[in-house]
Amino acid sequence: MEFEKIVQKLAKQYKQRIVLPEGLEPRTLRASDIIIREKIAQITLLGPPAEILEFAEKEGLSHIQHATIIDPLNHPKIEEYAQMVVELRKKKGIGLDTARELIKNPLYLAATIIKAGDADGEVAGAENATGNVLRPGFQLIKTIPGVSLVSSVFVIILKDKEFGDDGIMIFADCAVNPDPNEDELAEIAVTSARTAKGLLGMEPRIAMLSFSTHGSAKHTMVDKVAHATRIVKDNYPNIQIDGEMQLDAAIMPDVCAKKAPSSPIKGRANVLIFPTLEAGNIAYKLVQRFAHADAYGPIIQGLAAPINDLSRGCSVNDIVNVVAITAIQAYQNKKQAD
Ligand code: ACO
């Protein structure tokens, strides 16, 4: 709850414009009403205006009238946006007709609106799969300069405050890259460190997880994690990182003292980097269910402007919080670019 209050308070200060392409989705409309009422962000909804306003009136969502509502099939900037898509997808040889068709899809239109500077971030996924939400962002918004890989983190809030920073930890990548190579794993670690710092004000202590600690097992999967750790250490000497290491050595000071006595993070990791998406995705769900932890995410990182993906089982409250997180990311991306 504390985390939710903090992100909503921060988002209010930043006054960002967030586009919600699933504009007719009931939870999205209920969340939009709260977001506008609480001044967490300015909202742009994509969908047929008459139907959106009719739903809002029926449900008593009186703040929806203050949203910008855009009909994807009838938008005054369609031609300008289509030209922009042609330019951005030049290497793929996309023509004007294809571009016009593409941006009738609200998920592509949302990414185009952001790229044109008419919104600052996007939240979707209440009714679309992760890949469909992210792909337009990969293709049109692309990555922050200096970052080549989009990845994701979960903010995990544990009941047991002895772990991480007073119970707060970052897990990555649990949602985007199925099998990162060593360079990609290194980039996930560096980008996650930036997110930990930017979003939560954490001083990151990163553990690169494996089934081996400092060479206790030999396998190509172990080598991948050890090499990724070396890449980060060589290129970012200021980042506190250790690996490869097992989870117990990463989070238990007494186990770390035995298995990795020279470890700079001393069993006090607050950022856990998993070797594959299988490991990361299973791990965060285990912690969420068995330890009754709160898991906020996936928070997508590395895009030049933020797009965040909702679970299709999300609640209205989840949408409010993800919009707040997206607004913070949008503000920080712009601040870094200045
Ligand atoms: N970072 C940056 N760019 C990327 C990335 C990335 N991680 N992945 C793909 N791209 C780019 C490609 O280079 C390509 O660019 P181009 O069109 O300009 O050449 C574009 O995105 C499309 O690439 P594809 O390979 O076609 O992308 P695809 O759609 O196959 O894959 C996706 C992207 C959907 C995110 C894929 O990585 C995926 O399915 N990941 C797993 C998502 C998932 O199911 N997660 C679990 C559920 S989430 C949860 O449980 C919380």
Side-chain angles (χ1 to χ4, degrees):
M1 191 52 86
E2 199 51 36
F3 174 73
E4 298 181 10
K5 279 193 200 140
I6 292 169
V7 292
Q8 291 184 18
K9 193 171 160 197
L10 267 180
K12 282 181 197 185
Q13 292 172 18
Y14 297 154
K15 302 187 194 324
Q16 299 295 292
R17 301 161 301 167
I18 306 299
V19 53
L20 305 177
E22 294 161 334
L24 259 184
E25 198 282 319
R27 288 162 299 172
T28 302
L29 283 172
R30 292 194 180 98
S32 298
D33 195 62
I34 297 169
I35 294 161
I36 297 166
R37 187 189 71 209
E38 298 298 321
K39 300 187 168 55
I40 293 168
Q42 293 169 37
I43 292 295
T44 297
L45 292 164
L46 305 188
E51 281 180 59
I52 290 175
L53 291 172
E54 190 187 341
F55 180 90
E57 193 175 348
K58 205 167 71 198
E59 298 284 319
L61 306 175
S62 59
H63 301 278
I64 292 289
Q65 58 177 311
H66 302 298
T68 303
I69 303 177
I70 291 175
D71 185 349
L73 302 181
N74 185 18
H75 185 314
K77 287 193 171 178
I78 282 292
E79 281 309 306
E80 180 190 323
Y81 288 169
Q83 291 283 1
M84 211 176 79
V85 170
V86 169
E87 187 55 34
L88 288 165
R89 302 297 287 158
K90 208 160 44 188
K91 70 171 184 191
K92 300 286 170 181
I94 284 188
L96 204 49
D97 286 344
T98 312
R100 284 194 197 102
E101 273 312 301
L102 207 56
I103 56 179
K104 283 183 189 161
N105 174 340
L107 295 168
Y108 273 92
L109 178 60
T112 314
I113 288 173
I114 295 169
K115 188 69 187 177
D118 294 332
D120 303 305
E122 172 192 340
V123 174
E127 53 185 15
N128 283 285
T130 304
N132 294 341
V133 172
L134 298 184
R135 209 171 290 112
F138 291 174
Q139 294 174 349
L140 302 176
I141 294 177
K142 305 194 191 293
T143 51
I144 299 172
V147 173
S148 61
L149 190 78
V150 176
S151 58
S152 72
V153 299
F154 272 84
V155 177
I156 304 290
I157 317 274
L158 296 157
K159 301 229 178 302
D160 194 335
K161 303 297 175 206
E162 82 178 83
F163 296 112
D165 284 7
D166 205 23
I168 303 180
M169 300 197 76
I170 293 273
F171 285 17
D173 179 355
C174 308
V176 179
N177 296 285
D179 190 12
N181 63 29
E182 57 192 49
D183 292 314
E184 291 170 339
L185 199 58
E187 196 168 334
I188 291 168
V190 172
T191 315
S192 302
R194 286 195 189 127
T195 300
K197 217 172 181 146
L199 195 63
L200 302 169
M202 271 178 160
E203 230 13 271
R205 300 181 298 279
I206 305 173
M208 302 290 276
L209 296 178
S210 174
F211 56 84
S212 162
T213 303
H214 291 186
S216 63
K218 305 274 175 241
H219 195 279
T220 50
M221 291 161 88
V222 173
D223 294 341
K224 175 179 96 166
V225 180
H227 292 163
T229 310
R230 172 52 51 203
I231 292 167
V232 179
K233 283 186 172 170
D234 287 349
N235 292 290
Y236 301 90
N238 293 332
I239 291 183
Q240 282 189 74
I241 187 167
D242 197 16
E244 89 295 341
M245 65 197 320
Q246 290 158 290
L247 178 77
D248 52 359
I251 61 167
M252 309 286 295
D254 56 333
V255 177
C256 187
K258 288 195 192 96
K259 290 190 175 180
S262 63
S263 175
I265 60 170
K266 301 188 183 341
R268 307 280 314 151
N270 55 12
V271 178
L272 301 182
I273 304 298
F274 295 89
T276 64
L277 185 55
E278 279 168 325
N281 192 272
I282 293 167
Y284 101 79
K285 286 178 195 283
L286 278 176
V287 173
Q288 190 181 26
R289 300 296 169 187
F290 285 164
H292 303 287
D294 291 323
Y296 295 94
I299 300 168
I300 306 298
Q301 54 184 7
L303 279 172
I307 294 182
N308 277 312
D309 176 41
L310 299 161
S311 155
R312 273 172 285 179
C314 66
S315 66
V316 170
N317 193 43
D318 291 336
I319 302 176
V320 173
N321 288 321
V322 175
V323 167
I325 289 168
T326 308
I328 299 170
Q329 287 180 294
Y331 175 80
Q332 283 170 348
N333 275 8
K334 283 187 275 182
K335 210 171 84 178
Q336 274 165 20
D338 286 345

